[in-house]
Amino acid sequence: MAVSTPLLGVVVLIYLMVVFWCGWIAYKRTKEVDDYMLAGRNVHPVILALSYGAAFISTSAIVGFGGAAAVLGMGLLWLAVMNIVVGIFIAFVLFGSRTRSMGVNLKAVTFPELLGKRYQSRFIQGFSGAVIGLFMPLYAGIVLIGGARFVETTLGINYDIAVLILAIIVAAYVITGGLLAVMYTDALQGGLMFIGMAILLALTYIKLGGITEAHLALTNMVTLVPDSLVAGGHTGWTSMPAFGSPIWWTLISTLVLGVGIGVLAQPQLAVRFMTVNSKKSLNRAVFVGGPFILMMTGVAFVVGSLSNVYFFQTDGLISIAAAGGNQDLIIPEYINSAMPDLFVIIFMVTLLAAAMSTMSSQYHTMGSAIGHDFYREYLMKGNAGKTVTMTRLGISITIVASVILAYILPISIIARATAIFFGICAAAFLPMYAGALFWKRMTRQGAIASLLVGTFSSLFWLTFVHAKEAVPLGISQALFGVDTILTGTWVVVDPILVATPLSAIVAIAVSLMTEPPSEEHLAKCYNKK
């Protein structure tokens, strides 16, 4: 039953007022390009950690991956491990400090600009900006879907209207306040998300009779796994799928590795390392970011899996059946059915915070990529003025694109679309980004070759080999008369496992065959500040 009370209206109104107040403060403090693009490079470690976590963990994690855990089981908790080890520790301690230092040295204000200046290539900056501008709307679109599905289920509002409302709210403070507004509001929203998820975990265990009872009940439901999932390798919700089975490959290669590795090359996250004033700030942020990510992802995956117990006890159905076959509706249905009305209101704000924090980061990154990296630095060779104006125009264009995608994308798409975008970023950017930070011998030619090979091999694999995308796209069928040009296990191997190693090999090989960067330029890049 949809929740519709004056209390909900008051809570949401107060929340939105506080969000816009944070955006207004940031707007007043945004005077220079560095303020708009990089929040003045003087952000507090706690603000950084909460902003990074809130931008990373969105409705795609809570709704999309929570729904995926309801179908695939607790094996998805390996992604939570990857998110903490790779997405927080390696990202902040190894990548973060070098990114911050190089960003300051080169006066870079965006992720593509950092790469472009390290390799002295406007093409790298422009092409990277184009990749972000073209493909990140897919990621923003599914975050919109996650938020809108919960609003639809909770309030009974038409889904299309819910998408539009969310997009307009986020646009209002991102376009005006820049990254400072994004990080202030993200930190607020991250705090709300942490509280909401902690309460959700506690209430779920109380509802199901305790921790041991809940997990034992889920283990005993193994006989209820649908035949179609059993045939794919599903062995129950508290065990890993059969090794090498289609579901195992989907779980490990697409979800765990695709997102777990892809996080290192996320432009909207990497740019945050350039917003603090010291390596010490980054190290301090780890102690806030780690527990935050654990709470966000761990709770989503555990509660998603345990929702099967609740729906079976109340309706005699497993979660995917209770949600009408749409895994993106499982978490909204569970919250609205199992939780007290007051918590539904609290969680409504939690999901609004999750959606808005991630979308604000995405829109700022896409706008910067289009306005600053592609238009100003690549097309206009750095001679165009009004960077902030063009960035705001870029944000507006990508908001429209993400809204359109939220209307037309199919059901059960959130987790898969997230993995697609993370995988493209890993293949296109990660070898080049890692080379920029850790290998002085990496050359401009090697970086360009890596960028092109990573981007196009990833897209090729998605279009012609990976069955979950190739079959619905139908391009392989139209050109070659077959759903996929390869068969067997290959059709369930995620592009990240093929395109990223290929991109790295090309980067190394071409760099070793070409003239190294000048010592003068390397000194400029790597002298620590």
Side-chain angles (χ1 to χ4, degrees):
M1 182 178 294
V3 174
S4 180
T5 65
L7 178 60
L8 175 61
V10 171
V11 171
V12 172
L13 182 61
I14 292 172
Y15 163 70
L16 291 177
M17 287 172 64
V18 175
V19 167
F20 281 110
W21 177 68
C22 289
W24 173 252
I25 291 175
Y27 173 73
K28 298 294 286 184
R29 294 182 181 179
T30 299
K31 297 177 173 36
E32 307 293 338
V33 170
D34 262 17
D35 296 330
Y36 193 85
M37 299 291 192
L38 283 180
R41 297 185 192 264
N42 194 32
V43 168
H44 191 278
V46 174
I47 298 293
L48 167 65
L50 289 176
S51 173
Y52 179 97
F56 179 16
I57 304 301
S58 66
T59 51
S60 69
I62 299 171
V63 174
F65 282 80
V71 176
L72 300 176
M74 291 195 180
L76 204 57
L77 283 169
W78 282 109
L79 176 55
V81 174
M82 288 288 288
N83 285 339
I84 294 168
V85 174
V86 179
I88 296 295
F89 184 77
I90 291 178
F92 276 73
V93 176
L94 297 182
F95 280 69
S97 60
R98 289 173 179 256
T99 301
R100 189 206 69 79
S101 178
M102 188 175 289
V104 173
N105 290 342
L106 298 177
K107 295 181 172 58
V109 297
T110 68
F111 179 67
E113 186 167 54
L114 177 76
L115 298 174
K117 287 189 172 182
R118 159 60 177 86
Y119 295 113
Q120 298 175 290
S121 170
R122 288 192 189 277
F123 174 80
I124 286 177
Q125 184 173 352
F127 190 88
S128 299
V131 169
I132 294 166
L134 285 173
F135 295 106
M136 193 177 274
L138 172 67
Y139 186 24
I142 56 96
V143 173
L144 261 178
I145 291 173
R149 287 298 182 197
F150 191 79
V151 171
E152 174 193 32
T153 306
T154 305
L155 300 181
I157 293 176
N158 179 271
Y159 168 77
D160 293 343
I161 295 174
V163 166
L164 206 56
I165 291 171
L166 282 177
I168 290 171
I169 290 172
V170 175
Y173 66 84
V174 180
I175 292 175
T176 54
L179 189 58
L180 197 58
V182 169
M183 295 190 74
Y184 276 21
T185 53
D186 279 359
L188 164 70
Q189 291 157 340
L192 292 173
M193 289 160 62
F194 189 93
I195 295 169
M197 295 299 278
I199 296 172
L200 173 62
L201 182 64
L203 290 179
T204 295
Y205 281 130
I206 292 170
K207 191 79 176 180
L208 300 180
I211 297 174
T212 303
E213 291 77 7
H215 286 264
L216 182 61
L218 185 62
T219 300
N220 292 337
M221 288 178 62
V222 63
T223 57
L224 299 174
V225 177
D227 292 341
S228 58
L229 292 178
V230 172
H234 203 302
T235 60
W237 287 280
T238 57
S239 60
M240 288 293 290
F243 179 78
S245 65
I247 290 179
W248 184 90
W249 278 105
T250 297
L251 177 66
I252 297 300
S253 73
T254 300
L255 301 181
V256 174
L257 295 180
V259 176
I261 295 174
V263 64
L264 284 175
Q266 287 294 291
Q268 75 278 15
L269 300 182
V271 74
R272 277 164 167 69
F273 301 139
M274 296 190 278
T275 64
V276 293
N277 59 14
S278 68
K279 179 179 178 179
K280 185 183 291 186
S281 294
L282 286 167
N283 293 339
R284 287 175 177 171
V286 170
F287 295 102
V288 177
F292 179 84
I293 295 297
L294 175 63
M295 180 63 73
M296 294 300 103
T297 56
V299 171
F301 304 159
V302 169
V303 170
S305 299
L306 291 175
S307 68
N308 286 283
V309 178
Y310 169 77
F311 285 119
F312 181 69
Q313 290 178 351
T314 56
D315 303 322
L317 300 170
I318 62 172
S319 297
I320 190 67
N326 185 354
Q327 72 180 38
D328 294 340
L329 283 176
I330 291 173
I331 294 297
E333 288 287 352
Y334 171 72
I335 299 296
N336 281 283
S337 301
M339 296 292 112
D341 283 353
L342 179 59
F343 179 74
V344 174
I345 294 170
I346 294 171
F347 202 75
M348 171 84 175
V349 176
T350 300
L351 275 191
L352 277 175
M356 290 170 64
S357 59
T358 300
M359 285 191 297
S360 62
S361 301
Q362 292 167 332
Y363 291 147
H364 181 272
T365 301
M366 289 185 287
S368 300
I370 292 172
H372 181 75
D373 298 309
F374 184 71
Y375 172 76
R376 183 180 186 274
E377 294 298 326
Y378 180 63
L379 289 183
M380 304 305 293
K381 309 299 182 187
N383 295 320
K386 299 184 178 178
T387 300
V388 172
T389 300
M390 286 304 301
T391 297
R392 286 171 172 161
L393 178 61
I395 291 171
S396 303
I397 293 169
T398 54
I399 287 173
V400 173
S402 64
V403 169
I404 293 171
L405 285 168
Y407 287 152
I408 65 176
L409 287 171
I411 64 170
S412 300
I413 189 64
I414 294 177
R416 185 150 53 95
T418 303
I420 289 171
F421 179 72
F422 275 53
I424 290 173
C425 285
F429 302 138
L430 186 54
M432 175 174 60
Y433 179 34
L437 300 181
F438 302 105
W439 191 33
K440 294 181 181 180
R441 182 65 178 77
M442 183 89 163
T443 67
R444 178 197 298 117
Q445 295 89 338
I448 291 173
S450 173
L451 174 61
L452 294 176
V453 168
T455 301
F456 291 110
S457 61
S458 185
L459 294 175
F460 176 86
W461 200 265
L462 285 168
T463 305
F464 296 104
V465 181
H466 199 236
K468 286 203 170 182
E469 291 78 37
V471 173
L473 281 173
I475 296 174
S476 178
Q477 179 63 240
L479 293 178
F480 305 113
V482 291
D483 286 337
T484 57
I485 61 174
L486 297 180
T487 57
T489 302
W490 290 113
V491 302
V492 291
V493 174
D494 194 77
I496 195 172
L497 295 185
V498 177
T500 307
L502 187 61
S503 174
I505 291 169
V506 168
I508 295 169
V510 175
S511 291
L512 292 176
M513 292 187 292
T514 51
E515 193 72 23
S518 69
E519 290 298 325
E520 181 183 0
H521 177 65
L522 291 177
K524 181 181 177 183
C525 293
Y526 294 98
N527 284 341
K528 292 185 178 180
K529 290 186 180 180

